[in-house]
Amino acid sequence: MEGSMKELLTYIAQNLVDHPEAVSVTEHAGEDETVLELRVAPEDMGKVIGRQGRIAKEIRTLMRSVAQKNGTRVSVEIVD
């Protein structure tokens, strides 16, 4: 199911940014959760973080919720 979590995060990010081709998600399996690292074009950082981090918080909440329904744990790191 983690593969589709990666695809979901990629889809969400690509729909938020001006440069969807620059979106990449790297998956790292930790001991008790999967970490998804999201990278976007530098000029798109503000679009995935949002004012006061609101959009980033919403992305994390959504991904956590979907993972929980699938019986897994996931965290999202936005990397520059």
Side-chain angles (χ1 to χ4, degrees):
M1 197 67 205
E2 269 84 35
S4 63
M5 294 296 292
K6 181 178 172 180
E7 290 163 19
L8 176 61
L9 180 57
T10 303
Y11 175 79
I12 292 167
Q14 285 177 333
N15 282 280
L16 289 172
V17 300
D18 291 332
H19 305 283
E21 72 287 349
V23 170
S24 78
V25 177
T26 310
E27 199 175 326
H28 301 284
E31 279 190 32
D32 58 347
E33 73 177 7
T34 300
V35 177
L36 296 174
E37 287 184 355
L38 172 62
R39 286 180 175 79
V40 298
E43 57 270 27
D44 284 330
M45 281 302 272
K47 288 187 169 61
V48 293
I49 293 172
R51 230 181 244 156
Q52 298 170 340
R54 279 196 198 119
I55 296 171
K57 186 175 180 218
E58 292 298 327
I59 291 171
R60 289 185 176 111
T61 301
L62 176 65
M63 295 302 293
R64 225 176 279 130
S65 173
V66 172
Q68 202 169 22
K69 284 184 179 160
N70 295 326
T72 59
R73 290 174 50 120
V74 71
S75 67
V76 176
E77 300 292 326
I78 299 171
V79 183
D80 55 9

